[in-house]
Amino acid sequence: MGKRQALAEYHRGSILAAAERLFSEKGTDRTTMDDIAREAEYSKATLYVYFQSKEEIVGAILLNGMAMLKKRVHQAIEGHTDWLEAYDAVCLAITGFYEENPTAYEAVMGGSLTGAEGSKSDQDIKRVAGEFCRELADFLERGMTAGTIRCAMAPMETVMLFWASVSGMIHMADRNADSLERQVGRSREEFLEDGFHMILRAIAQS
């Protein structure tokens, strides 16, 4: 990477980091390009050198988040030869990604905020999302081939149900972390671990 490209990537990263902070604090709808420029300590004119709109910034956050989550899940799958251990690692990778990158995670979950339909950014997001879902589907097929799990549903449908279940559980645990110990006698981490295993049992029996 040349110095000019490295500098451009640095500026883009600074802008995206500032935007993520504001989206987390104020929400995407209430954040303006003026807000992002002030938070990143750039002029608005400089901001527009790197991003033409707030939608493009959201799209970049989504693409980066999707690529990061895909990498973490890939590492979790490839880092364990035992399928059940890999499953636990995948769930922990998704949870860790949410804890460390809540704005990027929300962007991934709200994938409609991808910018202009048919744009290069939109195409890249769809490509990475497709690769991510395919890897999870292949992982499920591997578990079925090995006889570790049995599932009558198509792998891609199972992926969608798995993703919705895991994400919903993480959200619920995050919003009710203080009351979990009191109501069910489990910490947030213990609650999520129980939930992930419940999802696995549901998949195995479907």
Side-chain angles (χ1 to χ4, degrees), residues 89-139:
V90 166
C91 293
L92 288 175
I94 295 171
T95 305
F97 177 74
Y98 171 79
E99 292 170 347
E100 297 169 23
N101 308 275
T103 302
Y105 183 92
E106 294 300 333
V108 169
M109 290 304 297
S112 59
L113 299 173
T114 60
E117 186 73 21
S119 67
K120 177 66 165 56
S121 175
D122 186 63
Q123 293 170 10
D124 288 340
I125 290 164
K126 289 177 178 177
R127 174 182 54 78
V128 175
E131 292 170 354
F132 174 65
C133 290
R134 185 67 256 167
E135 180 157 27
L136 283 177
D138 290 344
F139 175 61

Side-chain angles (χ1 to χ4, degrees), residues 53-71:
S53 66
K54 185 175 72 173
E55 289 71 27
E56 187 175 336
I57 291 175
V58 174
I61 291 173
L62 174 54
L63 179 59
N64 288 348
M66 184 69 71
M68 189 186 307
L69 179 59
K70 176 177 175 288
K71 180 179 179 180

Side-chain angles (χ1 to χ4, degrees), residues 94-96 98-99 169-178 180-181 184-196:
I94 295 171
T95 305
Y98 171 79
E99 292 170 347
M169 199 168 295
I170 291 172
H171 272 127
M172 198 278 280
D174 187 62
R175 292 166 184 166
N176 298 276
D178 294 337
L180 285 174
E181 186 77 39
V184 299
R186 307 291 279 171
S187 68
R188 175 181 178 274
E189 291 72 22
E190 291 170 332
F191 174 81
L192 285 174
E193 183 179 357
D194 291 343
F196 296 149

Side-chain angles (χ1 to χ4, degrees), residues 6-199:
L7 184 61
E9 289 300 316
Y10 170 80
H11 290 313
R12 284 177 59 87
S14 297
I15 292 167
L16 292 177
E20 286 195 60
R21 290 194 296 270
L22 289 173
F23 293 161
S24 178
E25 294 169 7
K26 300 175 59 174
T28 305
D29 292 340
R30 294 194 300 275
T31 300
T32 66
M33 290 291 274
D34 286 319
D35 294 332
I36 296 171
R38 281 194 297 271
E39 180 71 16
E41 299 183 348
Y42 290 107
S43 69
K44 195 172 179 181
T46 300
L47 186 67
Y48 277 106
V49 169
Y50 298 99
F51 297 99
Q52 296 180 0
S53 66
K54 185 175 72 173
E55 289 71 27
E56 187 175 336
I57 291 175
V58 174
I61 291 173
L62 174 54
L63 179 59
N64 288 348
M66 184 69 71
M68 189 186 307
L69 179 59
K70 176 177 175 288
K71 180 179 179 180
R72 289 194 179 193
V73 168
H74 175 77
Q75 290 173 337
I77 292 173
E78 295 301 316
H80 299 81
T81 55
D82 180 82
W83 193 92
L84 292 174
E85 289 181 0
Y87 173 85
D88 286 339
V90 166
C91 293
L92 288 175
I94 295 171
T95 305
F97 177 74
Y98 171 79
E99 292 170 347
E100 297 169 23
N101 308 275
T103 302
Y105 183 92
E106 294 300 333
V108 169
M109 290 304 297
S112 59
L113 299 173
T114 60
E117 186 73 21
S119 67
K120 177 66 165 56
S121 175
D122 186 63
Q123 293 170 10
D124 288 340
I125 290 164
K126 289 177 178 177
R127 174 182 54 78
V128 175
E131 292 170 354
F132 174 65
C133 290
R134 185 67 256 167
E135 180 157 27
L136 283 177
D138 290 344
F139 175 61
L140 289 172
E141 287 182 326
R142 196 173 85 195
M144 288 185 280
T145 300
T148 306
I149 61 171
R150 295 175 177 81
C151 182
M153 290 187 297
M156 196 60 74
E157 181 184 5
T158 308
V159 165
M160 298 301 178
L161 292 172
F162 165 79
W163 182 244
S165 301
V166 167
S167 298
M169 199 168 295
I170 291 172
H171 272 127
M172 198 278 280
D174 187 62
R175 292 166 184 166
N176 298 276
D178 294 337
S179 62
L180 285 174
E181 186 77 39
R182 184 176 65 257
Q183 293 181 353
V184 299
R186 307 291 279 171
S187 68
R188 175 181 178 274
E189 291 72 22
E190 291 170 332
F191 174 81
L192 285 174
E193 183 179 357
D194 291 343
F196 296 149
H197 290 166
M198 183 185 71
I199 293 170

